[in-house]
Amino acid sequence: MSVPFALSSAVAYGFGDFVGGLAARKTPVLRVTAVAQLAGLVVLLPATLLVPGQISVAAFGFGAVAGVGGMLGLLLY
């Protein structure tokens, strides 16, 4: 089961990296990064319904910090 997850993750990351680079040529980088993060939120939010467990304030906080850190990493890159 890990191979399909790894393959789909690699394809999604590669596609996003390629399309993000193309979009950054014509659009400000901050806007491209914000749209990419919002698109990820739109895709992952419904996916949380498929994963067992409970949402806690601590888990939400860690996720928010990780998301901001990832976005800052992309901006600094």
Side-chain angles (χ1 to χ4, degrees):
M1 192 64 165
S2 61
V3 172
F5 284 136
L7 184 60
S8 63
S9 175
V11 168
Y13 185 79
F15 178 76
D17 194 29
F18 180 75
V19 172
L22 288 179
R25 288 182 178 178
K26 298 179 181 179
T27 309
V29 175
L30 185 58
R31 184 175 297 161
V32 172
T33 305
V35 168
Q37 292 296 311
L38 286 173
L41 178 65
V42 167
V43 171
L44 289 177
L45 203 56
T48 59
L49 300 174
L50 301 173
V51 179
Q54 287 185 319
I55 297 175
S56 66
V57 175
F60 186 78
F62 282 124
V65 169
V68 169
M71 186 176 71
L72 289 174
L74 288 172
L75 285 172
L76 292 173
Y77 178 66

